[in-house]
Amino acid sequence: MTTPTATARGSGNHLTSAVLAWAVAYGGIRLAWTIGEAPEFGPFGSDLLGFTGWWSVALCLAAGATAVALDRAATWRPVLAGSAWALGGALVAAAAILLPELVSLLLFAPGPSFDPVAFASRLGCVTGAALLGLATARYQRRTRGDCPNCCRTGPPGRRRSAPAPWARWAAYVAVAGLVTRFAAQAVVGFDGLTQDASVIGLEIGLVLAGVLLPLALVRHWGEIWPGWVPLLAGRTIPRRLLLVPGFGLGAAIVAYFGMGLAQVASGSASEFSDAFLWVAMSAYCLLGLGLLAASSDYHLRTRSACRSCGR
């Protein structure tokens, strides 16, 4: 008879193999570009941020080795899990330029700086982060006694009907971050921003993500369609409609503008003043962190009880 632990380990082996295959394939490309001649990547000069050259090769090797360690570890090790999540975060941060590129593609206006090879490379980098994240989550479920179906730990608890106070504050921080960002832009002016369709689309998306989305995550109208919505009024809002953009945009914004702050700290040249960049990018990071926190509470509050464990 196959035990639940054996089944989890078997499934984990598939994820480990996937991470290793990615590390060999993508790491091989990074190695070839490092010791040979890398393609020209247009105005950005590189496909990744921060982790270029041998650093990108080391990142791939570390991801593969970590996946093997996760698969072989029989007990819960917080340091191992933390290191795995940190590696995944580094992979996402290295491909942070992917955020504005995806926006430009959705608007069918990629612009002259769009490079298909660099775009594919960033997608490959994020793919590795996703695979490593799945392997890490599998390790946590296996070693912490989490339910294999819902990933929850501990005794069944009462479902909260209202957002936690910290979640409300996180939503307000996200809105404040967006307001601060546009206040800083108003000081230096909006000249030039209206000439690029991708930038316009990004700004419009950020307004929606920075006002409607965080408030919906902590308000009742984020669970039930309000009465003024035609055809949908009174119906339950699908959780993924808020959770996917909440977690996705939150992580992407933190990665993109977090790397931007790192570049400003390193003294990278820009047409804007350092003071403006520090304020604007820090505000964006607050927006992203607020979205992540509010989305976490929304997820915990709205999920249904597991049929397997009752949690």
Side-chain angles (χ1 to χ4, degrees), residues 208-222:
L208 296 176
V211 178
L212 292 181
L213 183 56
L215 293 181
L217 290 167
V218 296
R219 297 289 183 178
H220 180 68
W221 50 267

Side-chain angles (χ1 to χ4, degrees), residues 21 37 106 119 122 138 168 189 196 218 236 252 257 299 307:
E37 184 176 353
L106 290 175
F119 179 76
R122 292 169 192 134
R138 175 79 60 178
R168 293 184 183 276
D196 192 328
V218 296
T236 301
F257 293 104
H299 164 66
R307 296 180 180 179

